[in-house]
Amino acid sequence: MDVRLEAEQTLRDLGVDAEIVEVGCIGPCYLEPLLDIKLPGKPRVSYSNQDPRRTRFLLEKVFQGGEWPERDLVGHFGEEGAMNGMPRFHDHPMLKPQVRLVLRNCGVIDPTDLDHYLARDGYRALERALAGKPEDVLETVKASGLRGRGGAGFPTWMKWNFCRQAGDGQKYMICNADEGDPGAFMNRSLIEGDPHAVLEGLVLAAYTIGASQAYIYIRAEYPLAIQRLEEAIGQMREIGVLGENILGSGFSLDITIKEGAGAFVCGEETALIASIEGKRGMPSSRPPFPAQSGLHGRPTIINNVETLGTLPNIIRNGAEWYTRYGVDTSRGTKTFALAGKVRRTGLIEVPLGTKLRTIIEEIGGGTQKPFKAVQTGGPSGGCLSAEFLDTPITYENLAQAGSIMGSGGLIVLDEDTCVVDLAKYFLRFTQSESCGKCVPCRVGTRHLYNILDRITCGEGEPDDIRKLETLGEVIRGASLCGLGQTAPNPVLSTLKYFRNEYLAHVQEKRCPAAVCRDLVIYRVIPGKCTGCQSCVRVCPTGAITGPRSEPHNIDEEKCIKCRACYEICRFDAIAGDAIVITS
Ligand SMILES: Cc1cc2nc3c(=O)[nH]c(=O)nc-3n(C[C@H](O)[C@H](O)[C@H](O)COP(=O)(O)O)c2cc1C
């Protein structure tokens, strides 16, 4: 916001008449805040890492000096060679391997301006669909090979067909915008950046299954996304793509936004339905599946935000066009939230079948320290080791490796990550998000967490690894819903690929990554310590002593392993790394 205010002020000071347009997330989060400038007749040019001072400098250079400074320049959005040797934005290494289909408007259009969406062929797909029959849409979606992007990867057309065959009468269409995986922000970004694409997809889906009422179930922690949806729904009514007799077709639909309290389990279909019905968000056993008996006992389809956001593209461009992207039974593109220890983090979209290595090394720019693993699919997913880097990402390949696609969280880990600690982190999440209805999940995840906690505290027992495996399998097989069924995945996958690390914790009481607090000690390397006293000043327990300009000493008895000395020493240009954590 400071950048925007400074841009407005600078433009006023310079007497420049310019319109400021806010767009959604374009992807490279690590470069934010971005500021783009577009002069008449020239392509848009993007600059990164803005702060008020840089923004003023940049605008003065461009508007007063007629120059495009090189500092912070990302690139332009025009044709090759359009800006005299300046690189193209999409040639940036983070962007180049990507294919942006569902995200095509994100960061490009003003999400609050319906005309921007219409100018990019918005609602053309709906027009086309309404000119034909619902069966035509179903056939196109079937031929496209689209599978649900919410995690399970169920063929979208098949689920719709169950619902169509479930008789006439009231049916419901629901958009699942409950995204709750730690580290995931794909669905939120799509709604914030291009709400009409999701809404057009929702109308298309409702038309196909014959629903006259649709809901968007979205967590209340997403206020901007909710605001964008509300604005967009109002605009839809104005141009007649929502409400009674849409575009004169005889098809009518209403959309209601339902805010959820932000419980992870409410992303599960039956819990989500209970929540909309005003009950506690708890899952129920299936069958019957919602496609037969869902909201208020009526046939209901629930689709993920990205699944719906993809539909307008498929209907507008045809199934054949869509199947050009992706491989075998995993067609099209998939968005991922790339996070963790990669150099370039952000929102990305790649064709399915892309190798993990391409995502991590080319798009993400690799890791600073040696790569260790990647967690795909969030808390329901698994942790894959380096041997999977050349595995093409498909639903089947990930499942075979003991992980899942999930909704698209990708957390990259380097050698500074302890996998036991990581598994514990995800278990703490699933354990606290368990709704408590079924015993395997409620009690089982707590036991799993307790064992992991013991191991990371150096109190692991020889039998613990076997217990983790047995308990994990039981929870997986006996839990009522997907939350419990997938909760052991982070533990089981790390046990499979990083067993030695568990053994080191249990048998040697050692944490190879030097992360687990109770298993590490802090030491000063005398040859590196300049005696600058920074660590002495930050140590809360007085454990570090020593006169100025002489190597310091850490008293192990007093050290509470708070990391304060380690962190501050790293930022000391002279002494850097004089304090190390050893295992
Ligand atoms: C605990 C749990 C949480 C889930 N959270 C979400 C979610 O936030 N968003 C989502 O689309 N699907 C989520 N799912 C998957 C949905 O239940 C469902 O499979 C999906 O919405 C179906 O849409 P799709 O066919 O378009 O993928 C979750 C499943 C479970 C078991």
Side-chain angles (χ1 to χ4, degrees), residues 148-152 154 159 176 178-180 187 264-265 267-269 302-304 307 482-483:
R149 300 301 196 232
F154 199 78
K159 200 156 87 170
N176 189 346
D178 194 53
E179 185 172 63
N187 290 177
F264 179 57
V265 75
E268 197 277 345
E269 298 197 349
I302 302 178
N303 277 130
N304 167 262
T307 315
L483 191 154

mmCIF file with all atom_site columns, all heavy atoms in Angstrom, residues 148-152 154 159 176 178-180 187 264-265 267-269 302-304 307 482-483, ligand 1:
data_model
loop_
_atom_site.group_PDB
_atom_site.id
_atom_site.type_symbol
_atom_site.label_atom_id
_atom_site.label_alt_id
_atom_site.label_comp_id
_atom_site.label_asym_id
_atom_site.label_entity_id
_atom_site.label_seq_id
_atom_site.pdbx_PDB_ins_code
_atom_site.Cartn_x
_atom_site.Cartn_y
_atom_site.Cartn_z
_atom_site.occupancy
_atom_site.B_iso_or_equiv
_atom_site.pdbx_formal_charge
_atom_site.auth_seq_id
_atom_site.auth_comp_id
_atom_site.auth_asym_id
_atom_site.auth_atom_id
_atom_site.pdbx_PDB_model_num
ATOM   1   N N   . GLY A 1 148 ? -10.658 -33.681 -11.071 1.00 0.00 ? 148 GLY A N   1
ATOM   2   C CA  . GLY A 1 148 ? -10.833 -32.715 -9.992  1.00 0.00 ? 148 GLY A CA  1
ATOM   3   C C   . GLY A 1 148 ? -9.501  -32.234 -9.426  1.00 0.00 ? 148 GLY A C   1
ATOM   4   O O   . GLY A 1 148 ? -8.625  -33.034 -9.126  1.00 0.00 ? 148 GLY A O   1
ATOM   5   N N   . ARG A 1 149 ? -9.389  -30.929 -9.292  1.00 0.00 ? 149 ARG A N   1
ATOM   6   C CA  . ARG A 1 149 ? -8.141  -30.332 -8.784  1.00 0.00 ? 149 ARG A CA  1
ATOM   7   C C   . ARG A 1 149 ? -8.148  -30.156 -7.263  1.00 0.00 ? 149 ARG A C   1
ATOM   8   O O   . ARG A 1 149 ? -7.243  -29.559 -6.709  1.00 0.00 ? 149 ARG A O   1
ATOM   9   C CB  . ARG A 1 149 ? -7.902  -28.975 -9.451  1.00 0.00 ? 149 ARG A CB  1
ATOM   10  C CG  . ARG A 1 149 ? -7.769  -29.026 -10.982 1.00 0.00 ? 149 ARG A CG  1
ATOM   11  C CD  . ARG A 1 149 ? -6.627  -29.931 -11.409 1.00 0.00 ? 149 ARG A CD  1
ATOM   12  N NE  . ARG A 1 149 ? -6.232  -29.731 -12.794 1.00 0.00 ? 149 ARG A NE  1
ATOM   13  C CZ  . ARG A 1 149 ? -6.130  -30.689 -13.695 1.00 0.00 ? 149 ARG A CZ  1
ATOM   14  N NH1 . ARG A 1 149 ? -6.441  -31.940 -13.388 1.00 0.00 ? 149 ARG A NH1 1
ATOM   15  N NH2 . ARG A 1 149 ? -5.711  -30.426 -14.915 1.00 0.00 ? 149 ARG A NH2 1
ATOM   16  N N   . GLY A 1 150 ? -9.195  -30.664 -6.603  1.00 0.00 ? 150 GLY A N   1
ATOM   17  C CA  . GLY A 1 150 ? -9.279  -30.510 -5.147  1.00 0.00 ? 150 GLY A CA  1
ATOM   18  C C   . GLY A 1 150 ? -8.481  -31.545 -4.383  1.00 0.00 ? 150 GLY A C   1
ATOM   19  O O   . GLY A 1 150 ? -8.365  -31.472 -3.166  1.00 0.00 ? 150 GLY A O   1
ATOM   20  N N   . GLY A 1 151 ? -7.921  -32.525 -5.064  1.00 0.00 ? 151 GLY A N   1
ATOM   21  C CA  . GLY A 1 151 ? -7.082  -33.487 -4.363  1.00 0.00 ? 151 GLY A CA  1
ATOM   22  C C   . GLY A 1 151 ? -7.238  -34.906 -4.855  1.00 0.00 ? 151 GLY A C   1
ATOM   23  O O   . GLY A 1 151 ? -6.273  -35.559 -5.228  1.00 0.00 ? 151 GLY A O   1
ATOM   24  N N   . ALA A 1 152 ? -8.475  -35.386 -4.899  1.00 0.00 ? 152 ALA A N   1
ATOM   25  C CA  . ALA A 1 152 ? -8.673  -36.804 -5.203  1.00 0.00 ? 152 ALA A CA  1
ATOM   26  C C   . ALA A 1 152 ? -8.501  -37.100 -6.693  1.00 0.00 ? 152 ALA A C   1
ATOM   27  O O   . ALA A 1 152 ? -8.251  -38.247 -7.073  1.00 0.00 ? 152 ALA A O   1
ATOM   28  C CB  . ALA A 1 152 ? -10.058 -37.240 -4.729  1.00 0.00 ? 152 ALA A CB  1
ATOM   29  N N   . PHE A 1 154 ? -10.740 -37.076 -9.141  1.00 0.00 ? 154 PHE A N   1
ATOM   30  C CA  . PHE A 1 154 ? -11.838 -37.848 -9.736  1.00 0.00 ? 154 PHE A CA  1
ATOM   31  C C   . PHE A 1 154 ? -12.254 -37.195 -11.064 1.00 0.00 ? 154 PHE A C   1
ATOM   32  O O   . PHE A 1 154 ? -12.336 -35.972 -11.143 1.00 0.00 ? 154 PHE A O   1
ATOM   33  C CB  . PHE A 1 154 ? -13.020 -37.885 -8.760  1.00 0.00 ? 154 PHE A CB  1
ATOM   34  C CG  . PHE A 1 154 ? -13.992 -38.967 -9.044  1.00 0.00 ? 154 PHE A CG  1
ATOM   35  C CD1 . PHE A 1 154 ? -13.720 -40.281 -8.678  1.00 0.00 ? 154 PHE A CD1 1
ATOM   36  C CD2 . PHE A 1 154 ? -15.181 -38.700 -9.721  1.00 0.00 ? 154 PHE A CD2 1
ATOM   37  C CE1 . PHE A 1 154 ? -14.614 -41.293 -8.964  1.00 0.00 ? 154 PHE A CE1 1
ATOM   38  C CE2 . PHE A 1 154 ? -16.077 -39.706 -10.005 1.00 0.00 ? 154 PHE A CE2 1
ATOM   39  C CZ  . PHE A 1 154 ? -15.792 -41.010 -9.633  1.00 0.00 ? 154 PHE A CZ  1
ATOM   40  N N   . LYS A 1 159 ? -18.417 -37.560 -12.252 1.00 0.00 ? 159 LYS A N   1
ATOM   41  C CA  . LYS A 1 159 ? -19.131 -37.118 -11.053 1.00 0.00 ? 159 LYS A CA  1
ATOM   42  C C   . LYS A 1 159 ? -20.406 -36.371 -11.468 1.00 0.00 ? 159 LYS A C   1
ATOM   43  O O   . LYS A 1 159 ? -21.482 -36.606 -10.916 1.00 0.00 ? 159 LYS A O   1
ATOM   44  C CB  . LYS A 1 159 ? -18.193 -36.201 -10.267 1.00 0.00 ? 159 LYS A CB  1
ATOM   45  C CG  . LYS A 1 159 ? -18.544 -36.022 -8.831  1.00 0.00 ? 159 LYS A CG  1
ATOM   46  C CD  . LYS A 1 159 ? -17.340 -35.613 -8.001  1.00 0.00 ? 159 LYS A CD  1
ATOM   47  C CE  . LYS A 1 159 ? -17.125 -34.127 -7.991  1.00 0.00 ? 159 LYS A CE  1
ATOM   48  N NZ  . LYS A 1 159 ? -16.112 -33.716 -7.005  1.00 0.00 ? 159 LYS A NZ  1
ATOM   49  N N   . ASN A 1 176 ? -15.984 -25.466 -3.861  1.00 0.00 ? 176 ASN A N   1
ATOM   50  C CA  . ASN A 1 176 ? -15.228 -25.690 -2.627  1.00 0.00 ? 176 ASN A CA  1
ATOM   51  C C   . ASN A 1 176 ? -14.018 -24.754 -2.589  1.00 0.00 ? 176 ASN A C   1
ATOM   52  O O   . ASN A 1 176 ? -13.007 -24.988 -3.234  1.00 0.00 ? 176 ASN A O   1
ATOM   53  C CB  . ASN A 1 176 ? -14.777 -27.149 -2.589  1.00 0.00 ? 176 ASN A CB  1
ATOM   54  C CG  . ASN A 1 176 ? -14.164 -27.549 -1.264  1.00 0.00 ? 176 ASN A CG  1
ATOM   55  O OD1 . ASN A 1 176 ? -13.827 -26.693 -0.447  1.00 0.00 ? 176 ASN A OD1 1
ATOM   56  N ND2 . ASN A 1 176 ? -14.012 -28.853 -1.052  1.00 0.00 ? 176 ASN A ND2 1
ATOM   57  N N   . ASP A 1 178 ? -12.438 -23.869 0.306   1.00 0.00 ? 178 ASP A N   1
ATOM   58  C CA  . ASP A 1 178 ? -12.093 -23.940 1.730   1.00 0.00 ? 178 ASP A CA  1
ATOM   59  C C   . ASP A 1 178 ? -10.593 -24.068 1.961   1.00 0.00 ? 178 ASP A C   1
ATOM   60  O O   . ASP A 1 178 ? -10.153 -24.153 3.109   1.00 0.00 ? 178 ASP A O   1
ATOM   61  C CB  . ASP A 1 178 ? -12.821 -25.115 2.388   1.00 0.00 ? 178 ASP A CB  1
ATOM   62  C CG  . ASP A 1 178 ? -12.766 -25.011 3.900   1.00 0.00 ? 178 ASP A CG  1
ATOM   63  O OD1 . ASP A 1 178 ? -13.139 -23.942 4.407   1.00 0.00 ? 178 ASP A OD1 1
ATOM   64  O OD2 . ASP A 1 178 ? -12.319 -25.961 4.558   1.00 0.00 ? 178 ASP A OD2 1
ATOM   65  N N   . GLU A 1 179 ? -9.835  -24.128 0.881   1.00 0.00 ? 179 GLU A N   1
ATOM   66  C CA  . GLU A 1 179 ? -8.371  -24.247 0.926   1.00 0.00 ? 179 GLU A CA  1
ATOM   67  C C   . GLU A 1 179 ? -7.734  -24.028 2.315   1.00 0.00 ? 179 GLU A C   1
ATOM   68  O O   . GLU A 1 179 ? -7.610  -22.894 2.771   1.00 0.00 ? 179 GLU A O   1
ATOM   69  C CB  . GLU A 1 179 ? -7.805  -23.211 -0.044  1.00 0.00 ? 179 GLU A CB  1
ATOM   70  C CG  . GLU A 1 179 ? -6.302  -23.266 -0.214  1.00 0.00 ? 179 GLU A CG  1
ATOM   71  C CD  . GLU A 1 179 ? -5.873  -22.334 -1.356  1.00 0.00 ? 179 GLU A CD  1
ATOM   72  O OE1 . GLU A 1 179 ? -6.062  -21.110 -1.266  1.00 0.00 ? 179 GLU A OE1 1
ATOM   73  O OE2 . GLU A 1 179 ? -5.388  -22.870 -2.349  1.00 0.00 ? 179 GLU A OE2 1
ATOM   74  N N   . GLY A 1 180 ? -7.287  -25.109 2.916   1.00 0.00 ? 180 GLY A N   1
ATOM   75  C CA  . GLY A 1 180 ? -6.751  -24.978 4.258   1.00 0.00 ? 180 GLY A CA  1
ATOM   76  C C   . GLY A 1 180 ? -5.401  -25.631 4.474   1.00 0.00 ? 180 GLY A C   1
ATOM   77  O O   . GLY A 1 180 ? -4.876  -25.637 5.586   1.00 0.00 ? 180 GLY A O   1
ATOM   78  N N   . ASN A 1 187 ? -5.964  -21.448 -4.707  1.00 0.00 ? 187 ASN A N   1
ATOM   79  C CA  . ASN A 1 187 ? -7.380  -21.146 -4.911  1.00 0.00 ? 187 ASN A CA  1
ATOM   80  C C   . ASN A 1 187 ? -7.693  -19.697 -4.539  1.00 0.00 ? 187 ASN A C   1
ATOM   81  O O   . ASN A 1 187 ? -8.419  -19.004 -5.242  1.00 0.00 ? 187 ASN A O   1
ATOM   82  C CB  . ASN A 1 187 ? -8.248  -22.095 -4.067  1.00 0.00 ? 187 ASN A CB  1
ATOM   83  C CG  . ASN A 1 187 ? -8.214  -23.536 -4.579  1.00 0.00 ? 187 ASN A CG  1
ATOM   84  O OD1 . ASN A 1 187 ? -8.795  -24.431 -3.995  1.00 0.00 ? 187 ASN A OD1 1
ATOM   85  N ND2 . ASN A 1 187 ? -7.523  -23.775 -5.685  1.00 0.00 ? 187 ASN A ND2 1
ATOM   86  N N   . PHE A 1 264 ? -10.315 -27.113 8.727   1.00 0.00 ? 264 PHE A N   1
ATOM   87  C CA  . PHE A 1 264 ? -9.763  -27.893 7.614   1.00 0.00 ? 264 PHE A CA  1
ATOM   88  C C   . PHE A 1 264 ? -10.731 -28.984 7.172   1.00 0.00 ? 264 PHE A C   1
ATOM   89  O O   . PHE A 1 264 ? -10.919 -29.234 5.981   1.00 0.00 ? 264 PHE A O   1
ATOM   90  C CB  . PHE A 1 264 ? -8.416  -28.482 8.059   1.00 0.00 ? 264 PHE A CB  1
ATOM   91  C CG  . PHE A 1 264 ? -7.737  -29.324 7.015   1.00 0.00 ? 264 PHE A CG  1
ATOM   92  C CD1 . PHE A 1 264 ? -7.424  -28.815 5.772   1.00 0.00 ? 264 PHE A CD1 1
ATOM   93  C CD2 . PHE A 1 264 ? -7.374  -30.641 7.295   1.00 0.00 ? 264 PHE A CD2 1
ATOM   94  C CE1 . PHE A 1 264 ? -6.787  -29.588 4.818   1.00 0.00 ? 264 PHE A CE1 1
ATOM   95  C CE2 . PHE A 1 264 ? -6.728  -31.420 6.357   1.00 0.00 ? 264 PHE A CE2 1
ATOM   96  C CZ  . PHE A 1 264 ? -6.443  -30.887 5.106   1.00 0.00 ? 264 PHE A CZ  1
ATOM   97  N N   . VAL A 1 265 ? -11.372 -29.624 8.137   1.00 0.00 ? 265 VAL A N   1
ATOM   98  C CA  . VAL A 1 265 ? -12.241 -30.761 7.802   1.00 0.00 ? 265 VAL A CA  1
ATOM   99  C C   . VAL A 1 265 ? -13.449 -30.319 6.962   1.00 0.00 ? 265 VAL A C   1
ATOM   100 O O   . VAL A 1 265 ? -14.040 -31.117 6.238   1.00 0.00 ? 265 VAL A O   1
ATOM   101 C CB  . VAL A 1 265 ? -12.682 -31.513 9.081   1.00 0.00 ? 265 VAL A CB  1
ATOM   102 C CG1 . VAL A 1 265 ? -13.748 -30.730 9.846   1.00 0.00 ? 265 VAL A CG1 1
ATOM   103 C CG2 . VAL A 1 265 ? -13.185 -32.911 8.746   1.00 0.00 ? 265 VAL A CG2 1
ATOM   104 N N   . GLY A 1 267 ? -13.441 -28.816 4.351   1.00 0.00 ? 267 GLY A N   1
ATOM   105 C CA  . GLY A 1 267 ? -13.146 -28.981 2.929   1.00 0.00 ? 267 GLY A CA  1
ATOM   106 C C   . GLY A 1 267 ? -13.604 -30.344 2.435   1.00 0.00 ? 267 GLY A C   1
ATOM   107 O O   . GLY A 1 267 ? -13.790 -30.560 1.242   1.00 0.00 ? 267 GLY A O   1
ATOM   108 N N   . GLU A 1 268 ? -13.770 -31.278 3.350   1.00 0.00 ? 268 GLU A N   1
ATOM   109 C CA  . GLU A 1 268 ? -14.270 -32.618 3.001   1.00 0.00 ? 268 GLU A CA  1
ATOM   110 C C   . GLU A 1 268 ? -15.747 -32.467 2.627   1.00 0.00 ? 268 GLU A C   1
ATOM   111 O O   . GLU A 1 268 ? -16.499 -31.734 3.287   1.00 0.00 ? 268 GLU A O   1
ATOM   112 C CB  . GLU A 1 268 ? -14.090 -33.558 4.197   1.00 0.00 ? 268 GLU A CB  1
ATOM   113 C CG  . GLU A 1 268 ? -14.172 -35.024 3.865   1.00 0.00 ? 268 GLU A CG  1
ATOM   114 C CD  . GLU A 1 268 ? -15.572 -35.571 3.785   1.00 0.00 ? 268 GLU A CD  1
ATOM   115 O OE1 . GLU A 1 268 ? -16.515 -34.904 4.261   1.00 0.00 ? 268 GLU A OE1 1
ATOM   116 O OE2 . GLU A 1 268 ? -15.753 -36.670 3.236   1.00 0.00 ? 268 GLU A OE2 1
ATOM   117 N N   . GLU A 1 269 ? -16.150 -33.156 1.563   1.00 0.00 ? 269 GLU A N   1
ATOM   118 C CA  . GLU A 1 269 ? -17.453 -32.868 0.968   1.00 0.00 ? 269 GLU A CA  1
ATOM   119 C C   . GLU A 1 269 ? -18.634 -32.982 1.942   1.00 0.00 ? 269 GLU A C   1
ATOM   120 O O   . GLU A 1 269 ? -19.494 -32.105 2.002   1.00 0.00 ? 269 GLU A O   1
ATOM   121 C CB  . GLU A 1 269 ? -17.694 -33.771 -0.243  1.00 0.00 ? 269 GLU A CB  1
ATOM   122 C CG  . GLU A 1 269 ? -16.671 -33.538 -1.337  1.00 0.00 ? 269 GLU A CG  1
ATOM   123 C CD  . GLU A 1 269 ? -17.100 -34.093 -2.690  1.00 0.00 ? 269 GLU A CD  1
ATOM   124 O OE1 . GLU A 1 269 ? -18.095 -34.848 -2.747  1.00 0.00 ? 269 GLU A OE1 1
ATOM   125 O OE2 . GLU A 1 269 ? -16.451 -33.757 -3.685  1.00 0.00 ? 269 GLU A OE2 1
ATOM   126 N N   . ILE A 1 302 ? -19.853 -31.023 -5.790  1.00 0.00 ? 302 ILE A N   1
ATOM   127 C CA  . ILE A 1 302 ? -18.882 -30.102 -5.193  1.00 0.00 ? 302 ILE A CA  1
ATOM   128 C C   . ILE A 1 302 ? -17.629 -30.146 -6.042  1.00 0.00 ? 302 ILE A C   1
ATOM   129 O O   . ILE A 1 302 ? -17.073 -31.222 -6.282  1.00 0.00 ? 302 ILE A O   1
ATOM   130 C CB  . ILE A 1 302 ? -18.542 -30.523 -3.749  1.00 0.00 ? 302 ILE A CB  1
ATOM   131 C CG1 . ILE A 1 302 ? -19.819 -30.568 -2.909  1.00 0.00 ? 302 ILE A CG1 1
ATOM   132 C CG2 . ILE A 1 302 ? -17.519 -29.577 -3.136  1.00 0.00 ? 302 ILE A CG2 1
ATOM   133 C CD1 . ILE A 1 302 ? -19.607 -31.013 -1.488  1.00 0.00 ? 302 ILE A CD1 1
ATOM   134 N N   . ASN A 1 303 ? -17.230 -29.001 -6.525  1.00 0.00 ? 303 ASN A N   1
ATOM   135 C CA  . ASN A 1 303 ? -15.982 -28.928 -7.291  1.00 0.00 ? 303 ASN A CA  1
ATOM   136 C C   . ASN A 1 303 ? -15.059 -27.877 -6.704  1.00 0.00 ? 303 ASN A C   1
ATOM   137 O O   . ASN A 1 303 ? -15.492 -26.859 -6.160  1.00 0.00 ? 303 ASN A O   1
ATOM   138 C CB  . ASN A 1 303 ? -16.242 -28.591 -8.766  1.00 0.00 ? 303 ASN A CB  1
ATOM   139 C CG  . ASN A 1 303 ? -16.600 -29.807 -9.595  1.00 0.00 ? 303 ASN A CG  1
ATOM   140 O OD1 . ASN A 1 303 ? -17.578 -29.806 -10.326 1.00 0.00 ? 303 ASN A OD1 1
ATOM   141 N ND2 . ASN A 1 303 ? -15.799 -30.859 -9.491  1.00 0.00 ? 303 ASN A ND2 1
ATOM   142 N N   . ASN A 1 304 ? -13.796 -28.143 -6.901  1.00 0.00 ? 304 ASN A N   1
ATOM   143 C CA  . ASN A 1 304 ? -12.747 -27.244 -6.437  1.00 0.00 ? 304 ASN A CA  1
ATOM   144 C C   . ASN A 1 304 ? -12.706 -25.963 -7.292  1.00 0.00 ? 304 ASN A C   1
ATOM   145 O O   . ASN A 1 304 ? -13.129 -25.953 -8.443  1.00 0.00 ? 304 ASN A O   1
ATOM   146 C CB  . ASN A 1 304 ? -11.422 -28.033 -6.539  1.00 0.00 ? 304 ASN A CB  1
ATOM   147 C CG  . ASN A 1 304 ? -10.218 -27.157 -6.401  1.00 0.00 ? 304 ASN A CG  1
ATOM   148 O OD1 . ASN A 1 304 ? -9.621  -26.762 -7.394  1.00 0.00 ? 304 ASN A OD1 1
ATOM   149 N ND2 . ASN A 1 304 ? -9.876  -26.836 -5.192  1.00 0.00 ? 304 ASN A ND2 1
ATOM   150 N N   . THR A 1 307 ? -10.755 -26.447 -10.556 1.00 0.00 ? 307 THR A N   1
ATOM   151 C CA  . THR A 1 307 ? -11.520 -27.265 -11.504 1.00 0.00 ? 307 THR A CA  1
ATOM   152 C C   . THR A 1 307 ? -12.515 -26.366 -12.239 1.00 0.00 ? 307 THR A C   1
ATOM   153 O O   . THR A 1 307 ? -12.633 -26.412 -13.471 1.00 0.00 ? 307 THR A O   1
ATOM   154 C CB  . THR A 1 307 ? -12.312 -28.372 -10.758 1.00 0.00 ? 307 THR A CB  1
ATOM   155 O OG1 . THR A 1 307 ? -11.475 -28.980 -9.787  1.00 0.00 ? 307 THR A OG1 1
ATOM   156 C CG2 . THR A 1 307 ? -12.846 -29.408 -11.709 1.00 0.00 ? 307 THR A CG2 1
ATOM   157 N N   . GLY A 1 482 ? -11.410 -38.508 4.690   1.00 0.00 ? 482 GLY A N   1
ATOM   158 C CA  . GLY A 1 482 ? -10.090 -38.295 4.101   1.00 0.00 ? 482 GLY A CA  1
ATOM   159 C C   . GLY A 1 482 ? -9.094  -37.656 5.034   1.00 0.00 ? 482 GLY A C   1
ATOM   160 O O   . GLY A 1 482 ? -7.885  -37.866 4.886   1.00 0.00 ? 482 GLY A O   1
ATOM   161 N N   . LEU A 1 483 ? -9.563  -36.878 6.015   1.00 0.00 ? 483 LEU A N   1
ATOM   162 C CA  . LEU A 1 483 ? -8.602  -36.242 6.911   1.00 0.00 ? 483 LEU A CA  1
ATOM   163 C C   . LEU A 1 483 ? -7.801  -37.302 7.660   1.00 0.00 ? 483 LEU A C   1
ATOM   164 O O   . LEU A 1 483 ? -6.575  -37.308 7.645   1.00 0.00 ? 483 LEU A O   1
ATOM   165 C CB  . LEU A 1 483 ? -9.312  -35.300 7.900   1.00 0.00 ? 483 LEU A CB  1
ATOM   166 C CG  . LEU A 1 483 ? -8.419  -34.367 8.716   1.00 0.00 ? 483 LEU A CG  1
ATOM   167 C CD1 . LEU A 1 483 ? -9.169  -33.114 9.130   1.00 0.00 ? 483 LEU A CD1 1
ATOM   168 C CD2 . LEU A 1 483 ? -7.835  -35.026 9.958   1.00 0.00 ? 483 LEU A CD2 1
HETATM 169 C C1  . LIG B 2 .   ? -9.944  -32.998 5.146   1.00 0.00 ? 1   LIG B C1  1
HETATM 170 C C2  . LIG B 2 .   ? -10.203 -32.630 3.723   1.00 0.00 ? 1   LIG B C2  1
HETATM 171 C C3  . LIG B 2 .   ? -10.076 -31.312 3.322   1.00 0.00 ? 1   LIG B C3  1
HETATM 172 C C4  . LIG B 2 .   ? -10.312 -30.948 1.998   1.00 0.00 ? 1   LIG B C4  1
HETATM 173 N N1  . LIG B 2 .   ? -10.180 -29.632 1.636   1.00 0.00 ? 1   LIG B N1  1
HETATM 174 C C5  . LIG B 2 .   ? -10.489 -29.272 0.368   1.00 0.00 ? 1   LIG B C5  1
HETATM 175 C C6  . LIG B 2 .   ? -10.417 -27.907 -0.016  1.00 0.00 ? 1   LIG B C6  1
HETATM 176 O O1  . LIG B 2 .   ? -10.072 -27.045 0.765   1.00 0.00 ? 1   LIG B O1  1
HETATM 177 N N2  . LIG B 2 .   ? -10.738 -27.590 -1.301  1.00 0.00 ? 1   LIG B N2  1
HETATM 178 C C7  . LIG B 2 .   ? -11.118 -28.533 -2.203  1.00 0.00 ? 1   LIG B C7  1
HETATM 179 O O2  . LIG B 2 .   ? -11.416 -28.192 -3.331  1.00 0.00 ? 1   LIG B O2  1
HETATM 180 N N3  . LIG B 2 .   ? -11.167 -29.826 -1.872  1.00 0.00 ? 1   LIG B N3  1
HETATM 181 C C8  . LIG B 2 .   ? -10.868 -30.208 -0.607  1.00 0.00 ? 1   LIG B C8  1
HETATM 182 N N4  . LIG B 2 .   ? -10.957 -31.527 -0.258  1.00 0.00 ? 1   LIG B N4  1
HETATM 183 C C9  . LIG B 2 .   ? -11.386 -32.478 -1.292  1.00 0.00 ? 1   LIG B C9  1
HETATM 184 C C10 . LIG B 2 .   ? -12.889 -32.376 -1.417  1.00 0.00 ? 1   LIG B C10 1
HETATM 185 O O3  . LIG B 2 .   ? -13.486 -33.123 -0.409  1.00 0.00 ? 1   LIG B O3  1
HETATM 186 C C11 . LIG B 2 .   ? -13.391 -32.820 -2.748  1.00 0.00 ? 1   LIG B C11 1
HETATM 187 O O4  . LIG B 2 .   ? -12.734 -33.976 -3.135  1.00 0.00 ? 1   LIG B O4  1
HETATM 188 C C12 . LIG B 2 .   ? -13.221 -31.777 -3.827  1.00 0.00 ? 1   LIG B C12 1
HETATM 189 O O5  . LIG B 2 .   ? -13.755 -30.545 -3.443  1.00 0.00 ? 1   LIG B O5  1
HETATM 190 C C13 . LIG B 2 .   ? -13.876 -32.257 -5.068  1.00 0.00 ? 1   LIG B C13 1
HETATM 191 O O6  . LIG B 2 .   ? -13.716 -31.342 -6.103  1.00 0.00 ? 1   LIG B O6  1
HETATM 192 P P1  . LIG B 2 .   ? -12.948 -31.734 -7.423  1.00 0.00 ? 1   LIG B P1  1
HETATM 193 O O7  . LIG B 2 .   ? -13.582 -32.978 -7.959  1.00 0.00 ? 1   LIG B O7  1
HETATM 194 O O8  . LIG B 2 .   ? -13.157 -30.549 -8.310  1.00 0.00 ? 1   LIG B O8  1
HETATM 195 O O9  . LIG B 2 .   ? -11.527 -31.946 -7.025  1.00 0.00 ? 1   LIG B O9  1
HETATM 196 C C14 . LIG B 2 .   ? -10.692 -31.916 1.057   1.00 0.00 ? 1   LIG B C14 1
HETATM 197 C C15 . LIG B 2 .   ? -10.821 -33.252 1.448   1.00 0.00 ? 1   LIG B C15 1
HETATM 198 C C16 . LIG B 2 .   ? -10.571 -33.602 2.766   1.00 0.00 ? 1   LIG B C16 1
HETATM 199 C C17 . LIG B 2 .   ? -10.712 -35.019 3.161   1.00 0.00 ? 1   LIG B C17 1
#
